[in-house]
Amino acid sequence: MKRLKDAVDRVDLNRFRFWLQLAMFALLVYGGYLAVDLGSRLPMFSCGFNEEGRAGVCYLLPLQHQLSRPWPQLFGIAGVSVLTGFGVFFLWFIVLNKGWCGYVCPLGTIQDWITALRRRLGARYSRYTQGQFRQLSRIKYLLLALMVLIPLGIGGGWFSRDMGTPFCLICPGRMILPMFTGDFSQFTIDFSSKTALVMTALGMGITGLFLAGAFVKKRFFCFFCPMSALHYLISKPALLKLKKDGDKCTRCGDCYTVCDMEIKEIADDIKTRDIMMDDCILCLKCVAACPEPGALKANFASVTFFESTEAGFIKRSQKGIGLEQPEH
Amino acid sequence: MNSPNTKTAIPYNRSRQAREAETMLDHITDDFDDNPAAMDYFYDLFRRAYCQGESLEREGVRVGTTCIHAPEELIYAMGATPVRLCNGSYHYDQIGADFMPAKSCSLVKATLGMLSSENVIPKVGKLDLIVNPTTCDQKKKASAMMVGMGHKVYNLELPPAKESEQARLYWQRSVREFVQQLRQITGKKLTRKNLMAAMARTSRAQAAFRTLHNFRRKAPSLVLGKDVFLVTNAYFFDDIERWTEAVEKLNAELAQRDQDGFCAAQKKAPRILFTGSPPIFPNLKLPLLIEESGGVVVADETCSANRMLYDMTAVDEWLVNDMVDSLANKYLKPCTCPIFTNSDDRLRRLVELAKSFAVDGVVYQAFSGCQVYEMEQKSVAETLNKAGIAMLYIETDYSPDDMGQLTTRIEAFLESLKTRKRNRT
């Protein structure tokens, strides 16, 4: 048992993550061909517009659909289906918490691939300043609010039906993910109405921004993701947890250095035990980059399955430098 | 008192300066039984460097550093060799008194004294550059004096606080500028390859240090603190690869000792955490006194040992830019030096070390005139007191005059720790 634990703590996390993400990507983007269907309440961007290949559908699509029903229906019997839908989504979510973002979300994986491409080209990434970060960090809540309010407004008769599923219209996943199964039909601007024109053009622009942004900034889109905001709001009872023991932390900032989401609290906050912040994607890179035994831990249902260790840190960093660990 | 500056015809190894080192080294080796065999490398190294004045000159560009904040990986990467100039010799302390006010830190005075001398011990050769991180006031002001002695000095600008994002970015820029300075001096470019090779060497040395550090958790102790201070002191000037191999050998021997159930000190010897001003050879008088009086130094929080080697660099992307920024990060963020505005990290580190090394008491050394350590004394004492850990505060300098008085105080402190322990059980 101890040997298994040591082996896990010494894992080459980046490599493990790469393969797991690849497998998850293949499953979610092509699983449909093998008749895999995980339902339409999935807590990440397994895009519903990828109609042939998808192995399940991102919950945001049905959620916006449901919310845009006429109010008498929505606040009547149809309300039950909204609640049960949310219930199923919630059950999926609590298993992995934000691990869905760091390990499963195909759109997240694509950003990591773009990052890998940039790294190969030897270009450096950019970072936000703290001020920018604080401002940008709020956008995802705004998008979440709009994503709920606009469909409700449609149901109430205030907005045009062309605004239906407003977030999907501007989500880069709608254009990019179907592309992987040869479907480029989403790359169009809909001229049928003024609203449709504006929304699809906006979507096109955001997709361009997504590709360019991910090239200069790690996990560029995740800062703005309303799914991420929704996750955080309901993350309390989740099973997968990121824990920090502030007493063991030297505040060396190694975790912050490797954090794709530039979360400063991971290094500086020594009081909060549940250290998962709203931008976190639970990629666990911070745990792998922490040299202090037990300072950072990943728990599943209160059982620690991966924690920072000195031996793990040394093994990983020396592998990074290209130095094999000498035997002691 | 003889003028320490006299240039007489006597050979170095018979000078007062050599005798100061020799006396200390004799105490370290002869006053204890069962020194680890692997320590012979270090005893021999110090005997050659300090007692016989043997040359340790390196090929190529030589860069002196006056503080742990100068990133050695960058210096190595550009093909230069760093040598830490912080000095522990009373002989040089007296010479350095000419430069600094009477009430100033022995370490700074000794470093200046050494740099002003013609025959520098340890003999590291002519320095092409001295990197002087702008840490405490005394080191800052020492910069101009070093220039006055004819040295080329580069002031590496360190922020006065380390928590804020501004400080981090400011320091990253300082370090990048330092790279430019090194480039001018060495005529070499920092590349991914040479920086990775340099980081690999330092990383291996740090891994060896951490293994040694972890062996000191064992109770009863496998190794004495006076030996570990000597080991980390050697890192100041020794060839890094040879040093690492010697430490790895020592670790292997300690692993064997661990298996054999060997005790380097008495089972009931009070376990001491050493903090404050750094013990630097030949000024190991305080750790030595503790261990001669029956205590054992099991851990330290000083910039001549733990603080210098413990914290390791994490890099996300192995590209030059990211590597340099990550290095900068390591040299600033975890540092527990009292020059920073906030002492929280130091307090937390001390409590954590005291707990994880099952320490019975803390000895806090402050060199008279080192204001920052003197000023932090009170808060450290209070914090440790709250955590139920006894602390002895000692203000001293390089002079051997207070040895008698110190012995009495240390013996009393160790005795009180033993009593405390007995009463508890």
Side-chain angles (χ1 to χ4, degrees):
Chain A
M1 199 55 197
K2 187 172 180 306
R3 276 175 59 191
L4 177 70
K5 192 178 173 310
D6 283 351
V8 171
D9 288 336
R10 287 177 200 202
V11 71
D12 181 351
L13 185 79
N14 287 342
R15 198 191 323 168
F16 168 76
R17 218 176 131 228
F18 173 81
W19 289 108
L20 187 59
Q21 281 182 299
L22 185 69
M24 286 297 157
F25 187 88
L27 173 74
L28 291 167
V29 177
Y30 300 105
Y33 295 118
L34 300 171
V36 179
D37 187 6
L38 301 174
S40 57
R41 304 286 183 265
L42 296 181
M44 42 75 212
F45 289 173
S46 174
C47 187
F49 289 87
N50 171 22
E51 281 174 29
E52 288 185 15
R54 71 189 189 200
V57 176
C58 164
Y59 175 59
L60 298 187
L61 178 66
L63 176 67
Q64 293 172 87
H65 261 304
Q66 286 175 333
L67 292 177
S68 65
R69 291 202 182 125
W71 282 15
Q73 270 183 41
L74 183 64
F75 295 108
I77 196 78
V80 178
S81 70
V82 176
L83 291 178
T84 53
F86 187 79
V88 175
F89 162 78
F90 181 70
L91 289 178
W92 276 111
F93 167 73
I94 59 167
V95 181
L96 285 189
N97 199 354
K98 283 186 165 230
W100 287 103
C101 311
Y103 285 83
V104 189
C105 178
L107 209 57
T109 302
I110 289 173
Q111 293 177 77
D112 289 342
W113 291 343
I114 298 174
T115 295
L117 174 72
R118 170 187 49 75
R119 206 170 47 221
R120 290 258 155 136
L121 295 174
R124 83 163 316 196
Y125 57 88
S126 63
R127 290 177 86 97
Y128 296 126
T129 66
Q130 282 289 293
Q132 287 167 335
F133 181 87
R134 269 193 294 275
Q135 298 297 328
L136 292 173
S137 203
R138 291 184 191 147
I139 293 180
K140 59 182 174 296
Y141 292 105
L142 182 70
L143 287 176
L144 178 65
L146 288 173
M147 194 194 80
V148 170
L149 293 176
I150 294 176
L152 282 177
I154 295 171
W158 295 321
F159 299 119
S160 144
R161 285 256 150 221
D162 288 343
M163 285 279 268
T165 64
F167 178 69
C168 294
L169 289 173
I170 63 162
C171 174
R174 176 178 63 88
M175 297 188 162
I176 291 170
L177 290 169
M179 240 168 49
F180 282 86
T181 53
D183 175 4
F184 292 86
S185 64
Q186 297 294 329
F187 276 89
T188 45
I189 291 183
D190 183 352
F191 286 95
S192 61
S193 73
K194 219 182 243 171
T195 318
L197 174 71
V198 170
M199 291 306 278
T200 48
L202 198 60
M204 198 79 101
I206 288 176
T207 301
L209 211 60
F210 169 86
L211 293 172
F215 193 79
V216 292
K217 176 80 194 66
K218 293 184 276 188
R219 288 280 179 149
F220 168 77
F221 184 74
C222 302
F223 284 94
F224 313 116
C225 179
M227 180 71 98
S228 162
L230 181 58
H231 280 177
Y232 186 64
L233 297 177
I234 57 171
S235 63
K236 198 108 212 167
L239 297 175
L240 184 63
K241 292 268 185 195
L242 180 61
K243 296 276 183 184
K244 177 166 175 180
D245 183 346
D247 292 344
K248 293 181 175 149
C249 175
T250 62
R251 293 214 274 198
C252 69
D254 281 359
C255 46
Y256 176 53
T257 304
V258 302
C259 181
D260 289 351
M261 301 304 291
E262 300 183 26
I263 297 166
K264 204 161 186 290
E265 286 85 350
I266 187 72
D268 289 358
D269 188 340
I270 44 165
K271 299 226 167 76
T272 313
R273 288 194 67 87
D274 255 318
I275 199 69
M276 192 189 82
M277 295 288 145
D278 60 348
D279 286 305
C280 179
I281 54 170
L282 275 188
C283 63
L284 306 183
K285 271 167 78 181
C286 50
V287 182
C290 173
E292 301 309 315
L296 287 172
K297 285 178 181 166
N299 284 5
F300 191 83
S302 307
V303 178
T304 302
F305 65 92
F306 180 48
E307 67 179 312
S308 54
T309 58
E310 197 174 83
F313 175 90
I314 291 173
K315 181 152 183 267
R316 281 181 287 265
S317 82
Q318 299 205 331
K319 187 161 179 298
I321 313 176
L323 181 85
E324 285 309 314
Q325 167 81 357
E327 293 296 319
H328 289 297
Chain B
M1 196 174 78
N2 288 343
S3 161
N5 252 338
T6 43
K7 290 182 195 115
T8 44
I10 56 161
Y12 171 75
N13 62 5
R14 285 176 52 208
S15 67
R16 281 170 59 99
Q17 191 186 357
R19 286 233 303 283
E20 179 194 352
E22 202 167 353
T23 313
M24 178 49 69
L25 211 48
D26 286 346
H27 276 299
I28 289 175
T29 55
D30 301 346
D31 292 359
F32 300 86
D33 304 324
D34 305 320
N35 292 321
M39 278 306 295
D40 285 347
Y41 169 80
F42 296 99
Y43 298 150
D44 181 56
L45 177 71
F46 278 91
R47 217 169 274 284
R48 282 185 293 126
Y50 280 85
C51 307
Q52 279 136 35
E54 211 171 274
S55 168
L56 301 163
E57 249 175 81
R58 294 294 156 65
E59 294 291 307
V61 177
R62 291 180 283 258
V63 179
T65 62
T66 57
C67 191
I68 54 168
H69 288 284
E72 61 169 37
E73 290 92 333
L74 298 174
I75 300 171
Y76 280 123
M78 316 282 259
T81 314
V83 53
R84 172 106 174 259
L85 300 174
C86 300
N87 195 282
S89 145
Y90 180 49
H91 171 80
Y92 285 137
D93 179 13
Q94 289 167 300
I95 301 176
D98 289 350
F99 299 95
M100 299 291 278
K103 281 183 186 165
S104 45
C105 162
S106 289
L107 190 155
V108 178
K109 280 189 285 183
T111 306
L112 286 171
M114 171 182 77
L115 288 170
S116 69
S117 303
E118 274 173 22
N119 282 317
V120 171
I121 297 293
K123 238 182 220 156
V124 290
K126 168 110 183 68
L127 299 166
D128 297 282
L129 181 72
I130 293 176
V131 189
N132 186 47
T134 55
T135 52
C136 61
D137 287 353
Q138 298 187 36
K139 285 196 178 174
K140 268 185 230 164
K141 301 311 283 182
S143 162
M145 299 173 202
M146 292 188 264
V147 172
M149 294 166 193
H151 294 284
K152 184 174 163 64
V153 180
Y154 179 77
N155 291 312
L156 180 58
E157 287 182 30
L158 188 82
K162 60 166 192 160
E163 276 82 11
S164 69
E165 193 63 7
Q166 294 96 288
R168 202 174 70 93
L169 296 173
Y170 173 80
W171 173 240
Q172 280 181 353
R173 276 198 297 276
S174 287
V175 170
R176 274 182 235 147
E177 238 158 72
F178 176 51
V179 173
Q180 295 310 315
Q181 174 68 33
L182 283 172
R183 192 174 168 178
Q184 268 178 29
I185 276 235
T186 59
K188 283 196 182 134
K189 217 183 141 194
L190 187 68
T191 65
R192 181 169 181 266
K193 214 172 141 202
N194 62 25
L195 184 52
M196 267 169 101
M199 285 179 74
R201 274 203 294 265
T202 302
S203 167
R204 194 177 146 214
Q206 287 190 300
F209 170 76
R210 280 216 179 199
T211 309
L212 176 60
H213 178 68
N214 288 333
F215 275 126
R216 298 171 80 189
R217 289 175 203 270
K218 303 272 179 194
S221 295
L222 300 172
V223 61
L224 293 178
K226 49 113 188 164
D227 284 337
V228 179
F229 274 123
L230 212 57
V231 168
T232 53
N233 261 200
Y235 193 77
F236 284 27
F237 55 83
D238 197 11
D239 175 87
I240 183 167
E241 276 169 355
R242 221 166 39 212
W243 182 88
T244 309
E245 272 161 35
V247 177
E248 281 166 359
K249 252 181 225 154
L250 177 61
N251 286 336
E253 188 175 346
L254 296 184
Q256 188 58 44
R257 280 186 166 192
D258 190 22
Q259 265 183 11
D260 301 344
F262 180 91
C263 309
Q266 278 190 337
K267 281 198 174 120
K268 282 183 186 159
R271 296 167 65 83
I272 301 296
L273 166 63
F274 195 97
T275 184
S277 303
I280 295 169
F281 186 83
N283 177 50
L284 297 183
K285 70 174 180 188
L286 204 46
L288 189 73
L289 275 180
I290 295 169
E291 297 193 328
E292 284 182 336
S293 317
V296 51
V297 178
V298 293
D300 74 275
E301 189 276 317
T302 66
C303 60
S304 61
N306 201 334
R307 204 186 293 156
M308 168 174 71
L309 283 159
Y310 183 77
D311 294 297
M312 301 181 81
T313 320
V315 178
D316 188 31
E317 298 186 353
W318 292 93
L319 302 171
V320 176
N321 278 313
D322 210 24
M323 282 150 80
V324 173
D325 284 355
S326 301
L327 279 172
N329 203 50
K330 175 193 84 170
Y331 281 93
L332 177 72
K333 297 302 276 188
C335 184
T336 47
C337 183
I339 52 145
F340 294 114
T341 42
N342 199 327
S343 62
D344 288 358
D345 285 347
R346 178 160 180 242
L347 300 176
R348 290 188 317 111
R349 175 88 65 115
L350 283 170
V351 172
E352 163 63 17
L353 281 172
K355 283 190 180 150
S356 61
F357 281 75
V359 156
D360 298 308
V362 175
V363 172
Y364 189 133
Q365 162 172 268
F367 292 148
S368 333
C370 175
Q371 279 204 327
V372 280
Y373 273 122
E374 288 167 350
M375 286 187 288
E376 265 192 14
Q377 183 260 126
K378 199 157 170 276
S379 64
V380 170
E382 272 167 15
T383 306
L384 290 174
N385 200 5
K386 234 182 250 165
I389 305 156
M391 185 185 106
L392 175 67
Y393 174 65
I394 290 179
E395 199 184 308
T396 179
D397 54 25
Y398 286 0
S399 111
D401 298 348
D402 58 357
M403 291 281 268
Q405 180 230 31
L406 289 181
T407 313
T408 317
R409 287 183 66 194
I410 284 170
E411 277 172 356
F413 181 62
L414 294 177
E415 210 45 57
S416 77
L417 292 179
K418 280 188 199 158
T419 318
R420 253 170 98 130
K421 222 174 172 178
R422 261 202 305 275
N423 291 346
R424 231 178 250 169
T425 49

